[in-house]
């Protein structure tokens, strides 16, 4: 099929606005699968966790043939699935780079939401043809007019440009195909130019190893060709080429300009497949497309097995996990309090939670996660640079640092107007700087703030949801860096540091946070059998202190009469008891629930 009859597009929508349902419906309507044999529901959304959490994590793509009734010509429609997940704006931007158009899908019962706005900007910046679509018009409480008004304001589109559909019942979906052909341009691929491929997604298949989704930007890809990666310089031979047909990929000998397909290049690990990489013929290497970079972990935390002897299991589970997710970074670590563990970097908080949940569900591996840290850059007094990925790193270099820099993010918040005041107060209490405050229609507010990433890494999401009774939505993207005045806030128990609880905090918030920490611990640890002094410390200075008084069991109450030997024996026993307990975590008994309470304050 020539490039003129190809359309590469994605669906931009907020979580639950019906992206998977619409993709299913389009697959069915294009005749790709016989509706009676539709045994796999929501094929584009297949991972178990994705189902449960209702989020799409890994992009998947499908190629459909559509026969244009007017001219009788067959078109190839490549529906490129973007991850609908706030932590993945870089991956979204790469999948958008493989598209020339986007369906902008908005749920008529919910209106425009943050993810739609943030992803619209990504699409807009790349000049994509936009087809606005209002979904769920079959529902009685759908507010089609209100939604159209919001779309008109947020995206500057004409109201009558938008299609009105029900992805569920199929109503209006047939009109989508002609709109796609008309409003989305074909790929500007050139058959005679040297071969260039954009790698826009990759995953690990248990049977076939690493598979890459590519778009042929120019030239023709053939089986057996030798390719070179612009990112790494590594060379690979094309082993298989497949068209992503629903249910059953179709093997092909070659892939022409403008086409999208799945290739196996014999890569050993997912780390070789860099999303955004440009591949070209080894005999005629081409430069990388602009904008490529390796995914950067934005949140680091220690993962320790809950089960004292669980390290090997955690480590094995994580290795298996790494085969599939190349964006996690992992190193061994050791904590005096929690023993052996892994220090991991994630793309964001939600990514971290998803990994934690999958470790538990797929590998039966329950972990305790230490306080998350964002990556800091340090300029040292001697002029050198270092990255600081944990509180421990910061403690080690604290005397030699000249200046620290922290990452910033631009947050998009969309909310019913009544919650605006509280959301602004929240952003300002988190050091936010407003960049936009506007209205979509009369009842919804769009807020954009630049905030330190560290300020949204803990509880920000939950606070937004609580403030707005669940009605506000949130998305964010990276936005540079700024100087950071932060310190490591540590805990000492009876004078001994508890390394697992040290975290990096803003200097102006260290004292109240220190106080919170010792108070929380005091509550959770109140049933101890000896005096315990809890201190929050910054370096050598104590910023808060609490004492837990001994709750001494009166073991002598039972001995009537003055049997000295018995008394001695009982006292010995109590001492032993103390020793055992005290050994449970390092040499101080900090119950698991106390650690958890401090690490994830409610
Ligand atoms: P993520 O994968 O989490 O981004 O969600 P999604 O956007 O793919 O949403 P999904 O297709 O899973 O739909 C969310 C819910 O809305 C499901 O329960 C669908 O059945 C329902 N839904 C989708 N489209 C329609 C529609 O047109 N009408 C009605 N009534 N329900 C719909």
């Amino acid at each position: 099929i020539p490039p003129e009859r190809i359309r590469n597009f994605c669906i931009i929508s907020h979580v639950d606005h019906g992206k998977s349902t619409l993709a299913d419906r389009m697959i069915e309507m294009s005749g790709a699968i016989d509706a009676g044999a539709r045994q796999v529901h929501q094929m584009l959304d297949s991972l178990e966790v994705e189902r449960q959490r209702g989020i799409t994590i890994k992009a998947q793509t499908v190629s459909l043939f559509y026969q244009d009734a007017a001219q009788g010509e067959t078109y190839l429609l490549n529906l490129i699935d973007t991850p609908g997940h706030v932590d993945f704006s870089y991956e979204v931007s790469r999948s958008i780079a493989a598209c020339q158009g986007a369906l902008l899908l908005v749920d008529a019962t919910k209106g425009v939401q943050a993810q739609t706005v943030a992803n619209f900007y990504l699409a807009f910046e790349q000049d994509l043809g936009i087809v606005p679509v209002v979904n769920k018009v079959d529902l009685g409480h759908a507010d089609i007019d209100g939604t159209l008004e919001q779309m008109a304001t947020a995206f500057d589109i004409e109201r009558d440009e938008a299609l009105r559909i029900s992805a569920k019942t199929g109503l209006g979906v047939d009109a989508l195909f002609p709109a796609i052909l008309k409003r989305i341009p074909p790929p500007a691929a050139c058959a005679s130019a040297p071969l260039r491929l954009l790698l826009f997604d990759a995953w690990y298949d248990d049977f076939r190893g690493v598979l890459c989704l590519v778009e042929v930007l120019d030239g023709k890809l053939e089986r057996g060709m030798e390719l070179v990666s612009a990112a790494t310089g590594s060379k690979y031979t094309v082993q298989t080429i497949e068209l992503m047909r629903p249910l059953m990929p179709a093997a092909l000998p070659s892939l022409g300009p403008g086409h999208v397909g799945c290739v196996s290049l014999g890569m050993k690990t997912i780390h070789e497949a860099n999303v955004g990489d440009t591949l070209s013929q080894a005999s005629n290497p081409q430069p990388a497309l602009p904008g490529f970079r390796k995914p950067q972990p934005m949140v680091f935390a220690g993962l320790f097995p809950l089960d004292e002897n669980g390290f090997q299991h955690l480590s094995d589970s994580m290795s298996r996990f790494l085969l599939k997710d190349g964006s996690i970074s992992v190193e061994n670590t050791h904590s005096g309090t929690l023993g052996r563990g892994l220090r991991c970097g994630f793309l964001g908080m939600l990514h971290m939670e998803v990994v934690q949940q999958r470790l538990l569900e797929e590998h039966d591996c329950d972990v305790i996660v230490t306080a998350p840290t964002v990556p800091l850059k340090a300029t040292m007094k001697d002029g050198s640079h270092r990255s600081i990925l944990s509180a421990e790193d910061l403690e080690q270099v604290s005397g030699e640092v000249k200046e620290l820099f922290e990452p910033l993010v631009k947050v998009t918040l969309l909310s019913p107007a009544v919650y605006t005041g509280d959301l602004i107060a929240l952003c300002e209490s988190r050091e936010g700087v407003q960049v936009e405050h506007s209205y979509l229609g009369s009842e919804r507010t769009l807020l954009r703030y630049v905030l330190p990433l560290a300020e949204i890494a803990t509880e920000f999401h939950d606070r937004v949801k609580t403030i707005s009774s669940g009605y506000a939505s949130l998305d964010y993207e990276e936005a540079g860096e700024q100087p950071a005045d932060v310190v490591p806030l540590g805990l000492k128990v009876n004078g001994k540091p508890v390394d697992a609880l040290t975290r990096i905090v803003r200097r102006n918030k260290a004292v109240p946070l220190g106080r919170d920490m010792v108070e929380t611990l005091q509550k959770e640890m109140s049933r101890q059998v000896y005096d315990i002094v809890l201190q929050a410390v910054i370096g050598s200075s104590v910023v808060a202190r609490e004492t837990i008084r001994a709750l001494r069991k009166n073991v002598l109450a039972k001995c009537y009469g003055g049997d000295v030997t018995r008394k001695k024996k009982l006292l010995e026993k109590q001492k032993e008891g103390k020793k055992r307990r005290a050994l449970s975590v390092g040499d101080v008994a900090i119950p698991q629930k106390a650690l958890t309470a401090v690490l994830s304050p409610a």
Side-chain angles (χ1 to χ4, degrees):
I1 293 188
E4 311 83 80
R5 279 193 276 121
I6 297 178
R7 297 293 182 276
N8 297 322
F9 65 100
C10 57
I11 304 177
I12 291 177
S13 83
H14 196 71
V15 175
D16 278 348
H17 282 202
K19 183 165 83 172
S20 310
T21 312
L22 176 59
D24 268 3
R25 189 66 60 228
M26 291 179 73
I27 292 170
E28 193 184 291
M29 288 198 168
S30 74
I33 342 165
D34 157 17
R38 261 180 91 229
Q39 65 276 61
V40 186
H41 181 59
Q42 301 218 332
M43 283 170 301
L44 295 186
D45 213 358
S46 51
L47 276 168
E48 192 52 29
V49 175
E50 292 187 5
R51 275 181 197 287
Q52 281 179 10
R53 301 188 62 127
I55 48 176
T56 309
I57 295 162
K58 217 55 208 151
Q60 291 182 42
T61 289
V62 65
S63 296
L64 307 173
F65 291 108
Y66 173 73
Q67 188 117 33
D68 178 30
Q71 302 150 16
E73 304 246 51
T74 300
Y75 283 80
L76 176 61
L77 306 182
N78 294 311
L79 170 50
I80 290 167
D81 193 14
T82 54
H85 181 311
V86 290
D87 291 339
F88 289 131
S89 62
Y90 172 69
E91 292 201 3
V92 174
S93 77
R94 291 301 92 194
S95 17
I96 285 177
C99 298
Q100 289 77 46
L103 308 184
L104 190 63
L105 185 72
V106 180
D107 180 337
T109 67
K110 303 267 174 53
V112 173
Q113 300 286 343
Q115 218 170 56
T116 331
V117 175
N119 289 348
F120 168 78
Y121 281 115
L122 292 177
F124 188 70
E125 282 158 16
Q126 300 196 24
D127 274 336
L128 262 52
I130 304 281
V131 181
V133 183
V134 179
N135 189 29
K136 306 200 188 179
V137 300
D138 59 303
L139 290 173
H141 58 294
D143 176 10
I144 302 172
D145 275 340
T147 304
L148 283 170
E149 189 184 330
Q150 291 172 17
M151 290 172 82
T153 320
F155 311 125
D156 197 18
I157 51 171
E158 296 295 326
R159 291 170 65 115
D160 53 6
E161 278 177 49
L163 291 124
R164 300 155 193 219
I165 66 156
S166 165
K168 193 167 175 181
T169 67
L171 178 80
V173 178
D174 51 352
L176 260 183
F177 293 99
I180 290 168
L181 300 191
K182 197 166 138 216
R183 299 194 213 167
I184 296 176
C190 175
S192 56
L195 178 72
R196 278 192 314 148
L197 306 176
L198 169 67
L199 191 167
F200 64 89
D201 192 16
W203 66 94
Y204 184 87
D205 181 281
D206 283 336
F207 300 104
R208 302 194 297 155
V210 180
L211 297 174
C212 303
L213 279 183
V214 297
E215 181 181 13
V216 183
L217 300 172
D218 285 314
K220 185 174 171 191
L221 177 71
E222 285 174 31
R223 211 162 41 208
M225 263 182 176
E226 196 186 18
L227 301 183
V228 60
S229 147
T232 63
S234 304
K235 292 185 180 158
Y236 303 98
T237 304
V238 182
Q239 300 179 343
T240 57
I241 304 177
E242 284 166 353
L243 202 58
M244 296 294 285
R245 296 291 288 148
L247 296 183
M248 181 62 92
L252 296 174
S254 65
L255 207 57
H259 282 71
V260 166
C262 173
V263 296
S264 155
L265 300 173
M267 289 176 175
K268 302 264 176 326
T269 74
I270 191 79
H271 301 271
E272 294 172 68
N274 293 295
V275 168
D277 194 2
T278 307
L279 299 163
S280 51
Q281 234 181 319
S283 56
N284 189 4
Q286 299 298 309
L289 281 184
F292 166 75
R293 60 179 172 77
K294 288 211 162 224
Q296 301 290 328
M298 296 301 278
V299 172
F300 290 81
L303 266 57
F304 294 88
L306 263 187
D307 171 4
E308 232 176 281
N309 300 316
F311 177 74
Q312 198 54 44
H313 181 51
L314 168 64
S315 171
D316 293 347
S317 310
M318 193 52 105
S319 309
R320 293 222 292 284
F321 214 91
L322 286 177
L323 290 174
K324 306 201 173 180
D325 186 343
S327 55
I328 309 174
S329 70
V330 179
E331 266 175 38
N332 284 334
T333 186
H334 187 271
S335 146
T337 336
L338 298 173
R340 290 171 77 193
L342 300 174
R343 173 147 282 276
C344 302
F346 305 93
L347 295 176
M349 287 302 289
L350 193 54
H351 185 211
M352 179 169 103
E353 283 171 26
V354 168
V355 172
Q356 189 182 351
Q357 190 188 348
R358 284 173 75 171
L359 279 173
L360 181 63
E361 283 173 6
E362 293 166 24
H363 300 279
D364 196 22
C365 187
D366 206 353
V367 291
I368 183 160
V369 179
T370 63
T373 305
V374 304
L376 300 172
K377 273 191 216 147
T379 308
M380 313 301 285
K381 287 179 181 154
D382 66 7
S384 64
H385 297 277
R386 283 215 201 160
S387 47
I388 307 283
L389 304 181
S390 67
E392 203 182 5
D393 289 352
L394 184 58
E395 279 177 320
Q396 275 170 7
V397 299
S398 60
E400 305 143 44
V401 173
K402 186 162 146 241
E403 197 164 21
L404 281 169
F405 292 89
E406 63 176 346
L408 293 169
V409 287
K410 191 193 273 176
V411 170
T412 304
L413 280 163
L414 256 168
S415 158
V418 287
Y419 306 114
T420 312
D422 290 342
L423 289 173
I424 289 181
L426 172 69
C427 292
E428 303 205 326
S429 74
R430 302 291 183 108
E431 328 266 322
V433 176
Q434 198 176 78
V435 287
E436 186 175 348
H437 179 182
S438 54
Y439 292 91
L440 300 186
S442 52
E443 278 151 29
R444 293 178 67 80
T445 314
L446 168 65
L447 293 172
R448 299 192 105 194
Y449 269 88
V450 171
L451 297 136
L453 173 63
E455 292 289 333
I456 69 159
T458 47
E459 302 165 71
F460 187 75
H461 228 119
D462 294 342
R463 293 283 304 136
V464 167
K465 289 289 173 201
T466 312
I467 286 174
S468 66
S469 309
Y471 286 113
S473 62
L474 164 96
D475 202 342
Y476 71 82
E477 65 210 44
E478 289 159 42
E481 57 182 27
Q482 71 174 14
D485 189 11
V486 293
V487 288
L489 174 67
L491 175 78
K492 282 187 176 170
V493 176
N494 284 346
K496 295 209 175 77
V498 182
D499 58 352
L501 292 183
T502 309
R503 62 203 156 123
I504 298 177
V505 299
R506 223 158 276 287
R507 190 188 299 275
N508 61 8
K509 290 184 180 162
V511 174
L513 286 173
R515 209 175 293 132
D516 279 359
M517 176 165 70
V518 291
E519 279 169 12
T520 307
L521 273 173
Q522 190 198 21
K523 269 191 228 130
E524 295 293 338
M525 291 173 61
S526 56
R527 302 178 67 80
Q528 301 277 317
V529 286
Y530 40 84
D531 267 12
I532 288 188
V533 178
L534 303 171
Q535 295 166 311
V537 294
I538 298 173
S540 53
S541 58
V542 176
V543 296
R545 179 196 158 105
E546 290 286 345
T547 305
I548 304 172
R549 296 282 164 222
L551 187 131
R552 196 184 172 90
K553 265 193 259 166
N554 192 351
V555 291
L556 303 183
K558 277 187 197 154
C559 353
Y560 28 88
D563 185 341
V564 179
T565 21
R566 175 113 196 269
K567 201 166 157 183
K568 244 185 161 168
K569 242 186 191 161
L570 277 169
L571 285 171
E572 278 303 315
K573 225 169 140 189
Q574 190 183 10
K575 218 162 111 197
E576 248 177 48
K578 271 189 233 170
K579 221 156 100 194
R580 256 203 316 275
R581 270 199 78 165
L583 278 174
S584 61
V585 183
D587 61 353
V588 206
I590 303 176
Q592 201 57 255
K593 68 173 179 88
L595 283 177
T596 316
V598 176
L599 291 171
S600 50

